Amino acid sequence: MNSIPVTRKPFFRRRKTCPFSGPDAIQIDYKDVKLLQKFTTERGKIMPSRITAVSQKKQRELAQAIKRARFIALMPYVLD
Amino acid sequence: MAFYETVFIARQELSAAQVEALAANLTEIITQGKGEITKTEFCGLRTLAYSIKKNRKGHYVLFNIEASAPTIKEMERQIGLNEDILRHLTIKLEKLDTEPSPLMQSKQSRDRRYESLGNDAYGSFEGDRE
């Protein structure tokens, strides 16, 4: 029974909302390592906002928090 | 008076008592300058993400300060002179939050709030060019 070739479903991802700009949004804090680690790759690099759907304003805050956390050795600069 | 938050890392060889003494004399400097320290947190010995000046671990201390800028400058100068302090970071804040900082309750899990943000939610993005 030949299976009907399923057309390649277009890669659709529901429109992700920025996790920081809702009314009850989480505060970005450079000491909150668990939160910041969610936005870094396994190598410790900061993930781009086009992947994590974080708004531009919050991405700047996030990047500054991660850099501060790295400065006081809460997070590594590079993870190999 | 402006609000500041200072975090500093003391060498691992120091005992907890010495770290408290260190914090006490910094508090002294602030109170002399007519500022006040609203919250002091000793986060204890933590392993550093990378070694600083050959130290693998460090005592983390956090201060919430309400003081004028010259007082902060004086405190920073004292911190800089002190060899036991490996690194410090002072930032200006709009308002001070009084509840314990996430640094302290590393064990106590607040993970459920971040469930939706899991790394896997973003697929396998390594972002490595090579």
Side-chain angles (χ1 to χ4, degrees):
Chain A
M1 190 277 278
N2 58 347
S3 64
I4 307 141
V6 175
T7 59
R8 176 89 180 72
K9 204 159 87 52
F11 178 74
F12 172 72
R13 208 174 167 96
R14 58 164 176 74
R15 185 74 206 90
K16 280 196 294 244
T17 56
C18 167
F20 296 112
S21 47
D24 57 351
I26 310 163
Q27 272 301 326
I28 297 180
D29 181 7
Y30 68 95
K31 304 186 287 296
D32 197 346
V33 182
K34 278 199 180 47
L35 172 73
L36 299 179
Q37 262 161 3
K38 305 278 175 193
F39 293 92
T40 59
T41 65
E42 291 83 29
R43 302 266 314 229
K45 297 163 82 167
I46 300 175
M47 267 192 200
S49 60
R50 62 181 164 81
I51 301 285
T52 54
V54 175
S55 69
Q56 199 179 358
K57 183 172 187 294
K58 290 299 174 184
Q59 177 76 9
R60 283 196 300 268
E61 254 176 69
L62 192 64
Q64 195 189 22
I66 290 177
K67 286 168 190 168
R68 280 181 178 161
R70 285 176 176 165
F71 177 70
I72 51 172
L74 292 176
M75 284 173 72
Y77 278 94
V78 71
L79 244 174
D80 35 18
Chain B
M1 293 278 208
F3 297 119
Y4 294 91
E5 180 183 79
T6 301
V7 178
F8 63 86
I9 309 173
R11 257 167 2 120
Q12 61 191 37
E13 285 81 22
L14 294 188
S15 71
Q18 281 167 319
V19 175
E20 262 140 32
L22 194 65
N25 88 58
L26 286 182
T27 318
E28 181 49 38
I29 295 170
I30 295 286
T31 38
Q32 255 167 16
K34 285 181 289 304
E36 44 130 359
I37 294 204
T38 47
K39 180 172 86 167
T40 308
E41 272 183 17
F42 296 100
C43 313
L45 210 55
R46 263 179 84 106
T47 53
L48 304 177
Y50 51 90
S51 61
I52 301 176
K53 292 185 185 133
K54 307 291 186 297
N55 287 281
R56 273 255 163 266
K57 291 183 190 297
H59 294 271
Y60 277 79
V61 180
L62 169 79
F63 282 154
N64 272 0
I65 305 171
E66 190 186 344
S68 62
T71 321
I72 295 289
K73 222 156 90 75
E74 175 52 25
M75 180 192 78
E76 289 258 305
R77 197 179 68 81
Q78 290 300 329
I79 289 181
L81 289 175
N82 189 330
E83 294 103 23
D84 291 338
I85 296 182
L86 300 175
R87 196 163 282 192
H88 69 280
L89 173 73
T90 308
I91 53 173
K92 195 169 177 333
L93 296 173
E94 282 72 39
K95 56 174 180 42
L96 295 172
D97 67 338
T98 49
E99 36 97 19
S101 77
L103 209 60
M104 290 291 282
Q105 353 122 339
S106 48
K107 292 2 141 259
Q108 187 240 1
S109 88
R110 282 175 21 181
D111 287 348
R112 63 200 174 297
R113 274 194 314 161
Y114 311 143
E115 277 330 317
S116 61
L117 308 170
N119 251 355
D120 34 46
Y122 308 130
S124 62
F125 171 79
E126 286 82 26
D128 300 330
R129 232 94 52 228
E130 66 275 357

